[in-house]
Amino acid sequence: MELHILEHSLKVASIAKEGIQICTHGLIKLAFLPSKTRCKFFSLTETPEDYTIIVDEDGFKELPESEYLSVADATWLALNVVSGGGSATSSQPIGVTKIAKSVIAPLADHNISVFMLSTYQTDFILVRERDLPMVMHTLSSEFTLLRVVNGETVAANSTGVTNGFVKPKLVPRPIIHPLSSPSNMFCVTSLDPDTLPSVATLLMDVMFYSGGAKETGGQSEDSGHIRFFSFSLIEGYISLVMDEQTTRRFPNNVLFTSASGELWKMVRIGGQPLGFDECGIVAQISEPLATADIPAYYISTFKFDHALVPEENIQSVIGALRTNESTGH
């Protein structure tokens, strides 16, 4: 297995709901007019709390300074697991469950915090740039480490650096954050960038204006239905995560939805904002799923984490995770 360290230097930021209009111009440019920017990595996810944006330095310049924009202090790098020398953007992801044991768990064991972004095409594991020497040291025995430089893949030499953190001996990872599962069902899909102009107006409406009166406030939360929409445009590939109702607004044959019409249920992690310094949250969730061989997409946002699992697996997933929940000892 190869681990590609992508060349993008990334910022992770939160845009408050009430400030989204201040950023809309820049976000529309990043999402729909990529030729007008030098941005190669852009992801925007709306949750009930806020909008989370992951963007490279060129893209970040498109956003205005604002009291509504909170930026995580670190610069982040994206890691991408590629099996058998295949393309990093092959048609279907390896799945976060497959990389949980080999990447996410060892990093958690070494006290390295990760931020996950699963897309239709692949999974990105974000690590702080300052942690990279330790990340490479930790993973070099399991992976061929490669860096992407000016679009070319070159060998990355691991240095014998440690952060002084001694790996614990197989310590179980109890889940310490509350879990919830909204009632909506979700689709993970994509579309051809050439068709983007034809659905741009619809996408803008979904991104910025669909949180209308019927969907806002406690009403939607009471029914268990939450607002969640994710759009990524990364190196020319588009990925969309939206609930089943939203997909019905799109014209037929625009979205790359699997023939089986696969639907995903969400497990939401966190009862309050999780922050960026805690380690092992992704591992706590993804390891039990990997053990049970249940595929999953995983999207971290500024305040919460979200795992998407096949609809038919949701009860066994909740059961497996509940078994791992901390009992407060």
Side-chain angles (χ1 to χ4, degrees):
M1 297 275 273
E2 294 176 355
L3 187 72
H4 292 195
I5 303 159
L6 305 188
E7 55 191 331
H8 315 291
S9 294
L10 302 174
K11 294 284 186 193
V12 177
S14 163
I15 304 168
K17 287 281 178 93
E18 60 270 29
I20 190 63
Q21 69 276 11
I22 295 167
C23 300
T24 305
H25 179 267
L27 295 173
I28 286 174
K29 193 173 170 186
L30 291 166
F32 302 108
L33 302 167
S35 60
K36 305 288 188 209
T37 78
R38 296 175 60 191
C39 179
K40 296 284 184 286
F41 196 114
F42 169 70
S43 177
L44 180 73
T45 301
E46 183 187 0
T47 64
E49 294 74 32
D50 64 349
Y51 288 85
T52 293
I53 181 168
I54 306 171
V55 67
D56 63 22
E57 288 175 325
D58 284 317
F60 190 71
K61 293 171 187 167
E62 303 293 339
L63 298 175
E65 282 189 32
S66 165
E67 61 184 320
Y68 296 111
L69 186 70
S70 307
V71 186
D73 61 351
T75 297
W76 299 77
L77 297 174
L79 312 178
N80 187 227
V81 177
V82 180
S83 57
S87 158
T89 40
S90 54
S91 60
Q92 281 298 302
I94 296 167
V96 73
T97 46
K98 299 291 186 292
I99 58 177
K101 288 194 161 91
S102 51
V103 178
I104 297 165
L107 294 181
D109 288 340
H110 285 86
N111 218 30
I112 297 167
S113 188
V114 302
F115 195 85
M116 279 294 305
L117 176 64
S118 294
T119 67
Y120 179 79
Q121 290 83 13
T122 190
D123 292 292
F124 297 101
I125 306 148
L126 273 60
V127 296
R128 290 181 174 94
E129 188 171 42
R130 63 173 178 259
D131 287 335
L132 185 62
M134 187 61 195
V135 168
M136 294 171 67
H137 175 73
T138 303
L139 300 177
S140 58
S141 59
E142 292 290 323
F143 289 91
T144 304
L145 299 179
L146 300 166
R147 288 201 80 145
V148 181
V149 181
N150 298 323
E152 298 293 317
T153 308
V154 298
N157 296 318
S158 169
T159 54
V161 177
T162 75
N163 60 2
F165 188 84
V166 179
K167 181 178 175 179
K169 295 275 184 264
L170 293 173
V171 175
R173 268 186 265 275
I175 292 167
I176 55 173
H177 295 285
L179 305 172
S180 59
S181 183
S183 60
N184 348 19
M185 289 191 283
F186 293 88
C187 293
V188 182
T189 184
S190 179
L191 52 79
D192 185 329
D194 292 341
T195 66
L196 191 56
S198 70
V199 291
T201 309
L202 171 57
L203 270 170
M204 283 181 216
D205 185 55
V206 171
M207 274 184 192
F208 303 120
Y209 304 109
S210 286
K214 68 178 188 301
E215 291 183 12
T216 54
Q219 181 187 345
S220 60
E221 298 297 318
D222 291 343
S223 66
H225 182 286
I226 71 155
R227 175 90 186 126
F228 187 94
F229 177 81
S230 188
F231 173 95
S232 301
L233 176 58
I234 298 172
E235 296 180 350
Y237 290 88
I238 293 170
S239 175
L240 297 159
V241 181
M242 58 187 127
D243 70 13
E244 187 187 14
Q245 288 166 293
T246 306
T247 59
R248 293 188 198 130
R249 298 177 56 184
F250 284 78
N252 287 339
N253 304 322
V254 169
L255 300 176
F256 300 158
T257 309
S258 66
S260 61
E262 196 165 29
L263 292 172
W264 301 75
K265 289 284 281 183
M266 177 185 289
V267 178
R268 208 158 186 256
I269 300 103
Q272 59 192 35
L274 295 171
F276 290 91
D277 294 317
E278 193 173 344
C279 302
I281 298 174
V282 182
Q284 289 162 8
I285 304 299
S286 56
E287 277 191 297
L289 301 186
T291 303
D293 204 26
I294 294 171
Y297 293 89
Y298 200 103
I299 296 176
S300 302
T301 60
F302 209 81
K303 297 181 177 177
F304 289 83
D305 277 11
H306 309 82
L308 291 165
V309 299
E311 177 194 359
E312 64 271 17
N313 293 125
I314 186 66
Q315 294 309 324
S316 54
V317 166
I318 296 282
L321 297 179
R322 292 261 185 259
T323 321
N324 271 31
E325 273 189 292
S326 168
T327 51
H329 297 312

